[in-house]
Amino acid sequence: MKHALLLAAALASALPVTLVTASPAAAQSPQLEQACMAVAKNFLLIPSIKTGIVQSFPELDPPGARLTYSTREDAKPTDFNNEIDCEFDKASPPFTLLRFCISKTCYGPGEQEPDNRRRYQEVKALMDRHK
């Protein structure tokens, strides 16, 4: 066993040193993430939300963001079980909201349910006012 360890150490020292690191995630977009948080606040009619996991995808077509959130002021890690997904026209401001989904319900201009189209139009109008 001692010889195997010495051999392994000798081989390791003879090989070039290569650090193995996890490749970083593609560049996140704080602006897309903030825009999606604004969608959530406007839809939920609340002044602020607490976020859990926040991800953005500026490289996708259409670009977007996804986050978990809680409306509780004293939110604990287990409280972040609500989710919103947002899609925008482009990855840089000013953003035009294309569609968003909260939980399993989606809101957009092409939704069949009239109330879901209306909620989309309302949130989009609010977002457009702040461009």
Side-chain angles (χ1 to χ4, degrees):
M1 180 72 171
K2 184 176 177 182
H3 295 293
L5 290 174
L6 289 173
L7 179 60
L11 285 173
S13 65
L15 296 174
V17 175
T18 304
L19 293 177
V20 178
T21 59
S23 61
Q28 295 282 326
S29 171
Q31 293 171 318
L32 277 173
E33 294 165 5
Q34 289 295 321
C36 194
M37 285 185 234
V39 169
K41 289 190 286 188
N42 284 320
F43 180 80
L44 299 169
L45 300 172
I46 56 175
S48 66
I49 60 172
K50 303 290 183 185
T51 58
I53 303 296
V54 180
Q55 301 171 331
S56 56
F57 306 95
E59 70 277 13
L60 296 182
D61 185 27
R66 176 175 57 207
L67 57 99
T68 59
Y69 68 91
S70 175
T71 56
R72 294 180 52 162
E73 277 297 315
D74 60 343
K76 296 173 180 56
T78 56
D79 294 332
F80 296 102
N81 50 13
N82 299 305
E83 187 176 316
I84 181 170
D85 294 288
C86 304
E87 296 176 359
F88 299 97
D89 65 329
K90 60 186 183 220
S92 59
F95 300 109
T96 298
L97 181 63
L98 299 179
R99 181 175 186 244
F100 68 97
C101 300
I102 293 187
S103 298
K104 303 280 186 225
T105 305
C106 292
Y107 304 85
E111 299 300 323
Q112 290 184 350
E113 180 65 39
D115 286 342
N116 293 356
R117 274 196 315 273
R118 173 66 186 208
R119 296 296 89 71
Y120 161 77
Q121 291 168 341
E122 291 169 355
V123 172
K124 183 178 180 312
L126 292 168
M127 297 293 290
D128 289 347
R129 290 178 193 168
H130 296 288
K131 285 186 177 178

